[in-house]
Amino acid sequence: VKNLQLHYDYSLEAEQRIINAIEAGDSRQARLLMLQIFDHNLSGKVSADSYRYLVYDMVGTLVRGARRGGYTTAARELDLPDGFSMKRLPVPELKQRFEALLDQICETILEMKKETDQDKSLSRKVESYIQENFQDPDLNISITSQHFGITPAYLSSVYKKQTGKSLLDYINTLRIDRAMELLEQGMSVVEVAPMAGFRDSGSFIRAFKKKNGVTPGQFKKKF
């Protein structure tokens, strides 16, 4: 058939631009770029194979963009076109289907980014609160979670996910760092323990040795 298009033009650079837009949650830009590819390749007579392979590649672009944006379950949650088994849709309908999928993916990515930003904000607030209160021996994860009106398990999970650190380790690190400063100033172990947030010298010594490999007394002898 004259003018039959046996191949399609979809460069890696063009795909990367679409993926970048999806990752950013910019559905408007992603739609614009994807429609340009469709218009460029499907404006004339196109072979069934070229049509199917282009759809297949476009679906791959959606999945890769979603994954880059953190939406790793998009492939199994969305009704993605199958370029090899689906009935060939008219081009306008195909465009509409991909536009709808892009909107869904970008909306989900933006919601996930919003939740992540909220979690990061919470982690920063938690650290600020602990920095102000770590010298209180009653301070622990439970007390901290009560202050923010959430459960200890949720607080620990969010903090770990956002910082890669254990919240309890963060509290103990602040206490031990403060204790080391005071020991370097010549204070005794008994004096340092309550000032660094430990209820008694016994718990202070155990925590200090666990972190540093030596007791506070052994550490103090270096100065």
Side-chain angles (χ1 to χ4, degrees), residues 17-33 102-103 105-107 109-110 113:
R17 287 194 292 270
I18 296 172
I19 289 174
N20 291 342
I22 295 173
E23 180 184 7
D26 188 348
S27 61
R28 181 177 177 277
Q29 179 67 6
R31 285 201 310 270
L32 176 64
L33 293 169
L102 275 172
D103 286 342
I105 291 171
C106 289
E107 182 178 348
I109 288 173
L110 289 177
K113 288 180 183 293

Side-chain angles (χ1 to χ4, degrees), residues 4 11 48 60 71 83 114 128 143-144 146 175 196 205 222:
L4 181 65
S11 68
Y71 185 14
K114 182 179 178 181
S128 178
I143 295 296
T144 304
Q146 288 178 23
R175 287 173 170 164
I205 292 170
K222 299 177 181 179

Side-chain angles (χ1 to χ4, degrees), residues 194-210:
M195 296 179 67
F198 294 94
R199 194 169 300 282
D200 53 60
S201 56
S203 60
F204 168 46
I205 292 170
R206 287 192 296 273
F208 193 96
K209 186 173 182 180
K210 181 178 180 180

Side-chain angles (χ1 to χ4, degrees), residues 25-215:
D26 188 348
S27 61
R28 181 177 177 277
Q29 179 67 6
R31 285 201 310 270
L32 176 64
L33 293 169
M34 186 167 279
L35 289 177
Q36 288 175 351
I37 299 299
F38 280 135
D39 289 341
H40 178 67
N41 287 283
L42 302 180
S43 58
K45 295 179 180 179
V46 181
S47 72
D49 283 346
S50 293
Y51 180 97
R52 286 196 297 267
Y53 277 103
L54 178 59
V55 170
Y56 180 79
D57 277 354
M58 282 295 192
V59 169
T61 300
L62 292 182
V63 173
R64 284 186 284 275
R67 189 181 299 119
R68 282 269 299 274
Y71 185 14
T72 58
T73 56
R76 65 172 180 267
E77 290 181 359
L78 300 177
D79 182 20
L80 298 172
D82 182 347
F84 292 97
S85 63
M86 76 175 197
K87 178 182 177 182
R88 179 167 172 170
L89 298 174
V91 172
E93 188 175 338
L94 180 69
K95 290 180 180 179
Q96 289 176 1
R97 187 165 180 183
F98 271 90
E99 285 184 280
L101 286 168
L102 275 172
D103 286 342
Q104 282 183 269
I105 291 171
C106 289
E107 182 178 348
T108 300
I109 288 173
L110 289 177
E111 285 297 320
M112 294 174 69
K113 288 180 183 293
K114 182 179 178 181
E115 291 178 5
T116 299
D117 289 343
Q118 290 173 343
D119 288 347
K120 288 181 178 177
S121 175
L122 174 61
S123 294
R124 289 192 293 268
K125 290 177 181 177
V126 166
E127 288 187 346
S128 178
Y129 174 76
I130 292 172
Q131 289 165 11
E132 294 174 1
N133 296 277
F134 73 88
Q135 290 171 295
D136 179 356
D138 290 328
L139 181 71
N140 55 27
I141 295 175
S142 180
I143 295 296
T144 304
S145 65
Q146 288 178 23
H147 176 79
F148 289 96
I150 55 182
T151 66
Y154 178 74
L155 176 59
S156 296
S157 174
V158 167
Y159 187 80
K160 178 72 173 180
K161 180 175 69 174
Q162 292 302 321
T163 68
K165 300 180 292 187
S166 159
L167 185 54
L168 182 59
D169 284 347
Y170 180 71
I171 296 172
N172 286 333
T173 295
L174 288 180
R175 287 173 170 164
I176 296 299
D177 287 348
R178 178 56 177 160
M180 292 170 69
E181 293 174 1
L182 297 174
L183 289 169
E184 289 173 5
Q185 294 171 17
M187 293 187 180
S188 69
V189 173
V190 174
E191 290 173 322
V192 167
M195 296 179 67
F198 294 94
R199 194 169 300 282
D200 53 60
S201 56
S203 60
F204 168 46
I205 292 170
R206 287 192 296 273
F208 193 96
K209 186 173 182 180
K210 181 178 180 180
K211 181 173 178 60
N212 295 312
V214 295
T215 66

